[in-house]
Amino acid sequence: MNRNQFLTAALQNPANEIIAEELFRLALPDGWLVSGCLVQTAWNVLTSRAIDYGINDYDVFYFDPDTSWEAEDKIIRTLAERFASRGIAVEARNQARVHLWYPKSTACPTRSFVVRRRASTDF
């Protein structure tokens, strides 16, 4: 599967398209729809399963230099409100603040990042 085929498959899930469009409207700093919701949708297309089979939530990464919990919580609440009526559960995380909670959560150290693209490659 090439890039275009993957994107075409991933966007067959209406939730992925709705979220992507809303991220654009919100102008979330360096906002990306990421992770399992994309890959699982592509697998579902390839295996002829229900388009949302195996998807519990939709992950959004963004990169905001404001690393306060209050700023991240505001984004989490905003996205939850925007998608609640559609039954779409979104988990948003500011990649600029992962270094503040990840080591406590996993016992694995991580560094702080100044650009999102570097942060997402460290998984």
Side-chain angles (χ1 to χ4, degrees):
M1 177 176 280
N2 66 33
R3 178 179 181 251
N4 289 338
Q5 292 168 321
F6 178 80
L7 290 173
T8 298
L11 291 175
Q12 287 185 41
N13 182 337
N16 288 340
E17 189 167 7
I18 289 166
I19 294 166
E21 289 171 357
E22 190 63 26
L23 291 178
F24 181 75
R25 275 192 290 279
L26 284 170
L28 201 58
D30 207 6
W32 292 76
L33 177 63
V34 297
S35 207
C37 64
L38 301 173
V39 173
Q40 187 63 46
T41 298
W43 277 116
N44 292 343
V45 168
L46 290 172
T47 59
S48 300
R49 291 187 173 147
I51 205 71
D52 61 351
Y53 175 83
I55 300 172
N56 296 321
D57 62 15
Y58 295 79
D59 296 316
V60 169
F61 284 0
Y62 66 99
F63 197 92
D64 185 348
D66 182 346
T67 59
S68 69
W69 165 247
E70 293 77 17
E72 184 174 48
D73 189 51
K74 180 179 177 185
I75 296 297
I76 291 169
R77 285 184 284 109
T78 298
L79 292 175
E81 290 168 8
R82 299 266 176 127
F83 301 118
S85 66
R86 295 181 170 122
I88 301 171
V90 173
E91 184 172 300
R93 294 294 177 260
N94 180 3
Q95 296 303 291
R97 63 180 310 278
V98 169
H99 70 284
L100 300 174
W101 60 265
Y102 189 79
K104 295 173 192 165
S105 170
T106 65
C108 295
T110 190
R111 60 182 170 226
S112 63
F113 298 102
V114 293
V115 292
R116 191 255 351 131
R117 283 188 177 85
R118 182 67 187 129
S120 65
T121 62
D122 264 33
F123 278 82

